[in-house]
Amino acid sequence: MPSKEKNIKVNAIENIRVDDESYNALLSLLRSKTGLNFEYYNKGFIEKRIKARMIRVYCKTLDEYFRFVSSNSAEIKSFIDGFTVNYTFFFRDYDVFETIQDLFIHGLKVSRKDIRSDIRPDPSKLAKFRTKKNAAKNLAKIGSYSDRPARNYIDIFIFLNQLSYYQKMKKPRSEKNCINIWSCPCATGEEPYSLAMILDNLQSQVPRFPKYRIVASDIAHEAIAKAKIGVYTNDSMKEISDYFERRYFIKQKTHFGHTNLIDEKIKKKIEFVEEDVTQGHKLYHKYDIIFCRYLLIYFNRINRHKFLKIIEDRLVENGILILGKTETLFDSWGNLQLIDSRHRIYIKSHSKLY
Ligand SMILES: C[S@@+](CC[C@H](N)C(=O)[O-])C[C@H]1O[C@@H](n2cnc3c(N)ncnc32)[C@H](O)[C@@H]1O
């Protein structure tokens, strides 16, 4: 590691210069060592990451950091690990999951009153994990959602008909007559597992529930490995309702504190894939539902378009795309058309909806 700099100001973020030549040389080096194309990402995001690492390993210039990376494979790993921001938790944006559950309930033509399910986290849980101000905001939000009528469903009647079509299928095993869902990126698995819990819970109560398959992918090797193990700390459980926590987790006391082990039945519902999605998707499926939450924010404009094309191609006609709450394609992108702005839900349709 380069010698520690006594004067911390030398290494303050605002003092680090990133010139194009050294920046491009570093990206090429990282690409040759890892196979990952960092040019797909937002430049500001990568720069921040580089500067943070430089400060961490006491490099004063980008060239010095270049030399450090060239001869230090542990540094490459640290760069990638921090870069792929695996932050996630169960039922992140729980109102989005409520909406997806509502879609299934409507599509399968069952009455909400006949379904036992509760996705909303206990308000005291929110208060514990969020700042007081946010907790208060969220409590108000929970109140306003109560018995919220189905919105925009008129726009997605074709998608809903698709669900009941699958329900009537006699040979549900093949890819064509089963609901295919893709969670991309899935990070450490909390998102696809949340979905699997909702569907399993519905399946146990709705007659002739259609077959479904959930594929979950991420670029980060360690995140996928963790997802496959399915053991979570309380941080991941911060917004899960008591209903789902009790139903699908076994609490374990270990040397490292309390952990939560996900039900084996839920684990089996998901096929995890490690891949760089900017290079395409390894599996051949088309999907009825794609969760692509909190990934687009990291991509630059050109590659966001390239990636959206992959997503659009992989959706069936009338399939739906769910983005993260801070992400938007505005009213439409290609054949992806906004149907629910609050929950960032788009439908793929060749005909104009509006
Ligand atoms: C913030 S997490 C989002 C997880 C989850 N969708 C959610 O909303 O909680 C972002 C994930 O994107 C993954 N990622 C970044 N670049 C990727 C790429 N090119 N291909 C696949 N996954 C990628 C990261 O490894 C990280 O796990």
Side-chain angles (χ1 to χ4, degrees), residues 75-91:
E75 177 54 23
I76 294 177
K77 195 176 165 305
S78 303
F79 184 86
I80 305 288
D81 282 352
F83 179 77
T84 55
V85 199
N86 304 133
Y87 181 68
T88 185
F89 49 90
F90 289 104
F91 295 93

Side-chain angles (χ1 to χ4, degrees), residues 23-86:
Y23 176 80
N24 291 334
L26 182 63
L27 290 203
S28 305
L29 174 71
L30 286 166
R31 186 171 183 175
S32 70
K33 299 261 184 196
T34 64
L36 301 179
N37 190 350
F38 294 92
E39 278 155 23
Y40 287 144
Y41 293 85
N42 183 322
K43 194 171 178 205
F45 173 62
I46 302 191
E47 272 192 24
K48 225 160 124 188
R49 182 72 202 143
I50 294 172
K51 289 176 178 179
R53 286 308 307 164
M54 283 173 67
I55 289 174
R56 194 65 196 259
V57 298
Y58 305 101
C59 285
K60 280 180 274 175
T61 65
L62 205 50
D63 290 340
E64 198 181 334
Y65 186 63
F66 180 95
R67 285 193 295 280
F68 186 55
V69 170
S70 314
S71 58
N72 191 324
S73 54
E75 177 54 23
I76 294 177
K77 195 176 165 305
S78 303
F79 184 86
I80 305 288
D81 282 352
F83 179 77
T84 55
V85 199
N86 304 133

Side-chain angles (χ1 to χ4, degrees), residues 41 83-89 92 183-188 191 217-220 223 275-278 292-295 298-299:
Y41 293 85
F83 179 77
T84 55
V85 199
N86 304 133
Y87 181 68
T88 185
F89 49 90
R92 181 179 192 178
S183 162
C184 160
C186 66
T188 37
E191 179 179 279
S217 64
D218 200 281
I219 198 172
E275 67 184 3
D276 176 353
V277 83
T278 58
C292 180
R293 303 196 311 151
Y294 304 108
L295 176 62
Y298 301 121
F299 288 154

Side-chain angles (χ1 to χ4, degrees), residues 77-129:
K77 195 176 165 305
S78 303
F79 184 86
I80 305 288
D81 282 352
F83 179 77
T84 55
V85 199
N86 304 133
Y87 181 68
T88 185
F89 49 90
F90 289 104
F91 295 93
R92 181 179 192 178
D93 305 327
Y94 55 86
D95 51 312
V96 173
F97 286 95
E98 278 187 324
T99 304
I100 298 302
Q101 177 180 261
D102 285 352
L103 284 181
F104 274 85
I105 290 174
H106 281 253
L108 302 176
K109 301 190 171 57
V110 276
S111 162
R112 178 71 186 87
K113 289 200 288 299
D114 297 334
I115 300 293
R116 283 181 312 283
S117 177
D118 189 3
I119 291 176
R120 287 173 210 175
D122 190 284
S124 64
K125 213 169 190 180
L126 285 177
K128 191 167 149 200
F129 283 100

